[in-house]
Amino acid sequence: MAEATGSNFKQAKESQFLLCASSIMSEVVENFAKEDQPMTTEEQSHEAATLKSLHETYVGQSNAAVLKMMDQCRQVTGGMDSLRQTLLGLSAVRVSLRVETRRLGEKARGLDSLISDIDQSHMRVQDHLEQVFDIAIHLQEAIDAA
């Protein structure tokens, strides 16, 4: 989980760009090979080699970035059960706090607002984690399908 939470989102954006660029470069290489260019054979072979090299660079970098994102996705999905258990533990603490404040009655009157804040924070964390889990599951399904 530490590696996944410390992921470089800038690199993820760059990998998406590289995937698009790789696809475009693939078309450029194909079209260059098909069309009759007004240049010498030597110039054409040099240009074709340059385009192919550039395309291979984009493919290699984008594949490496996608593999890293896949690993991060697997780390998140692997740690989901642990995070869910942590949320259940926090929920049990919230219930215990409510019970104790009711038991203490008037002495614990100031704790109600604090416990309400804890309840709201817990609900926000739970909602956000469920969104993360849903996205991670969808990504994992896409990875498995590929």
Side-chain angles (χ1 to χ4, degrees):
M1 289 303 295
E3 287 115 21
T5 56
S7 65
N8 185 348
F9 291 105
K10 183 180 177 205
Q11 184 181 18
K13 289 179 184 178
E14 288 173 0
S15 69
Q16 293 170 0
F17 169 78
L18 289 169
L19 284 172
C20 294
S22 172
S23 177
I24 291 169
M25 283 303 299
S26 178
E27 290 181 34
V28 168
V29 169
E30 287 175 22
N31 288 334
F32 184 80
K34 289 179 187 175
E35 292 182 14
D36 189 25
Q37 304 295 330
M39 55 179 74
T40 66
T41 307
E42 185 178 298
E43 290 174 332
Q44 191 169 6
S45 64
H46 175 67
E47 188 69 24
T50 302
L51 287 173
K52 185 178 179 185
S53 172
L54 187 58
H55 177 248
E56 288 172 355
T57 301
Y58 280 131
V59 168
Q61 290 176 348
S62 62
N63 285 344
V66 168
L67 287 174
K68 185 172 182 176
M69 284 192 297
M70 289 169 55
D71 288 342
Q72 291 171 349
C73 181
R74 285 188 188 106
Q75 287 174 353
V76 170
T77 55
M80 285 179 4
D81 288 337
S82 173
L83 289 172
R84 282 195 173 111
Q85 289 175 356
T86 301
L87 279 176
L88 286 174
L90 290 174
S91 185
V93 168
R94 286 177 37 225
V95 170
S96 297
L97 287 172
R98 288 266 180 221
V99 169
E100 283 301 308
T101 55
R102 296 288 184 258
R103 189 179 68 77
L104 291 172
E106 198 62 34
K107 292 180 185 178
R109 185 165 254 214
L111 294 177
D112 284 334
S113 63
L114 178 63
I115 293 172
S116 293
D117 290 345
I118 291 171
D119 287 342
Q120 290 173 358
S121 295
H122 180 266
M123 296 308 289
R124 276 196 314 272
V125 167
Q126 185 171 352
D127 290 344
H128 291 301
L129 273 178
E130 286 304 319
Q131 290 174 359
V132 169
F133 293 159
D134 288 343
I135 291 169
I137 288 169
H138 290 311
L139 286 173
Q140 188 65 46
E141 289 170 353
I143 289 167
D144 292 341

